[in-house]
Structure formats: structure tokens, C-alpha cells
Amino acid sequence: MGTPRETTQAQAEAVIDRLEAEYPESAISLRYSNRLELLIAVILSAQCTDERVNQETEHLFEKYDGAEDYATAEQDELATDLNSITYYNNKAKYIRSACESILEDHDGEVPDTMAELTDLSGVGRKTANVVLQHGHDIVEGIVVDTHVQRLSRRLGLTEEEYPDRIEEDLMEIVPEDGWQEFTHLCIDHGRATCTAQNPDCGDCVLADLCPSSKGDSEIDLASGDPW
Ligand code: SF4
């Protein structure tokens, strides 16, 4: 198996160095032109690909212009406008309700604190972290999506299973000025090489320091199951 660095902190730094070299242009892939569009795109992206969300929001953001348009939309009409997205009915409800709160409690502006954001419908800590980072330039945590969750466990950076606990571990070992970048690097590598079902360990820049590396390791540390 690959040999991880002696400490999880050194392991995290080595992973970042390698992935930075591999993905120098790493960035958020959702498309948006203001904070509300960002919030809506992130709500829609739960258990859905960014590519699909970008396709759907292209027409959505032309039709709906601002929180009032969403808050006053008919549920059925908004759901139909989102119907290529997973869980579109629930997401339409979340968006209408979140926009009502934004109008009633926040003067029509997307709030800029974790507490206020996570009070909005459909917004958990992951979504709030994305909106804070990319909408408000506030980095107070690490976005733990499915790629970050999987790669962090495969690479031995955490043994935790749940995103909030994984985030706590990562915040201890990833340098603070790399919190935002770390997510994008994991997403890029998770899409390109370290995929959920069939990671290409033979062509992976992290193989020599990855304790899950196929061929060497019997176990996928992300799931705890044999490869
Ligand atoms: S592709 Fe394989 S070697 Fe690379 S990080 Fe994923 S599990 Fe480890």
C-alpha cells in the first residue's frame, strides 16, 4: 500500500501539494452571477451533478429574477422548471421558503453568517459554507461534499463517517489558507481519478502516499470494504 506521511497534518499538506500541481486551475464549477443564484445553485446541487445544475439554471436564472420571483412562484410551476434535477419537488419547496425568509427577515439579501444561513430551508452546513466562501468571501469551515468525504477517508485524513465530524478533523490538519482550495482539489481528483466506483489508482499522483491504493491495499478505507 502507499505509505502515508507520519502525521495526518503532513499527509494533508502532501496531498494538497500534489493536487495543486495536478489541478492548477481548480475552482467552483457551479455557474451563478450573484449571491442568490449561488445559494439556489448550491441547494439544487445536493445529490445532483454540477453539470446538470448548470444546464437547468441557465433557463431558471433568466426566468426568475430575485428572491420575490421565487417566493411568489407557484410550487408546481417552479417544480416543473426544475424537473431534470433530483428531488426537484422538495428543492422547489426549499427555494420558495428560503426566499420568503430572505425577503421577510433579511431585507432581500442572502445572509452572511453560518447561523442565519443554516436557518434557511434546505441549507445545511455544507451549503452555508459554499455560500459564505464564494458569495461573501468568508471562510469559516471546509465544504465536505461526497468527494471530500470519500477522498479524506481513502487518504487516511480522517476515520469519521459523517460530514460535520470529517470537517472538524480536516480543520485541525488542513492549513487555514487552504480550506477553500482543499474542497476544489478533492472534487477535481474525485471526478478525474479517485471516482467512487472505480478509482484509477494505477494512474494516481497520490498512489505512493495513499493507504487505500488498489493493488497494494485490500481495503477501500472510504467504505471499509474490500476492493
Ligand atoms: S485513486 Fe487510488 S491511490 Fe489515488 S487517492 Fe484514490 S484510492 Fe488512493
Side-chain angles (χ1 to χ4, degrees):
M1 76 179 195
T3 308
R5 297 287 189 263
E6 275 193 10
T7 64
T8 48
Q9 193 166 9
Q11 176 79 343
E13 286 172 15
V15 166
I16 292 167
D17 282 351
R18 297 269 183 96
L19 295 183
E20 270 176 348
E22 191 75 1
Y23 309 102
E25 306 290 327
S26 202
I28 188 167
S29 54
L30 291 172
R31 291 202 208 105
Y32 58 93
S33 61
N34 57 50
R35 287 175 186 145
L36 184 68
E37 288 185 1
L38 171 63
L39 173 67
I40 289 167
V42 185
I43 290 174
L44 294 176
S45 72
Q47 293 172 285
C48 190
T49 65
D50 289 358
E51 197 181 350
R52 172 60 58 87
V53 172
N54 286 337
Q55 282 169 2
E56 197 73 305
T57 54
E58 202 175 326
H59 69 80
L60 191 76
F61 294 159
E62 274 183 22
K63 177 169 174 181
Y64 298 86
D65 183 21
E68 190 161 351
D69 280 4
Y70 293 102
T72 56
E74 294 294 328
Q75 167 66 20
D76 287 352
E77 185 175 355
L78 183 56
T80 303
D81 286 332
L82 297 174
N83 67 5
S84 76
I85 303 271
T86 46
Y87 308 115
Y88 59 90
N89 259 319
N90 282 340
K91 289 177 182 176
K93 280 185 203 150
Y94 292 150
I95 289 169
R96 291 171 62 241
S97 169
C99 286
E100 275 172 25
S101 305
I102 286 171
L103 287 172
E104 284 170 17
D105 305 329
H106 303 287
D107 293 329
E109 300 292 328
V110 175
D112 63 357
T113 67
M114 179 63 75
E116 289 170 314
L117 280 165
T118 51
D119 268 352
L120 300 175
S121 290
V123 179
R125 189 172 166 91
K126 183 189 79 167
T127 299
N129 263 326
V130 178
V131 173
L132 287 174
Q133 290 183 11
H134 295 279
H136 294 287
D137 279 331
I138 297 170
V139 182
E140 69 170 67
I142 296 177
V143 176
V144 178
D145 76 342
T146 182
H147 297 288
V148 176
Q149 190 171 8
R150 182 175 72 254
L151 267 73
S152 298
R153 287 175 54 83
R154 279 184 178 160
L155 289 160
L157 299 175
T158 182
E159 293 180 359
E160 296 291 348
E161 291 182 27
Y162 296 104
D164 287 4
R165 303 289 292 274
I166 291 173
E167 184 185 1
E168 285 171 17
D169 275 0
L170 292 174
M171 286 166 70
E172 294 286 320
I173 58 173
V174 173
E176 196 167 344
D177 62 359
W179 285 1
Q180 186 167 329
E181 183 192 25
F182 181 79
T183 299
H184 299 306
L185 292 172
C186 286
I187 291 172
D188 282 347
H189 196 55
R191 285 179 180 150
T193 305
C194 192
T195 56
Q197 300 303 330
N198 192 21
D200 188 0
C201 302
D203 192 27
C204 175
V205 292
L206 303 174
D208 63 302
L209 47 84
C210 176
S212 297
S213 183
K214 275 196 281 188
D216 297 326
S217 169
E218 306 277 308
I219 302 285
D220 172 5
L221 291 176
S223 62
D225 296 330
W227 285 115

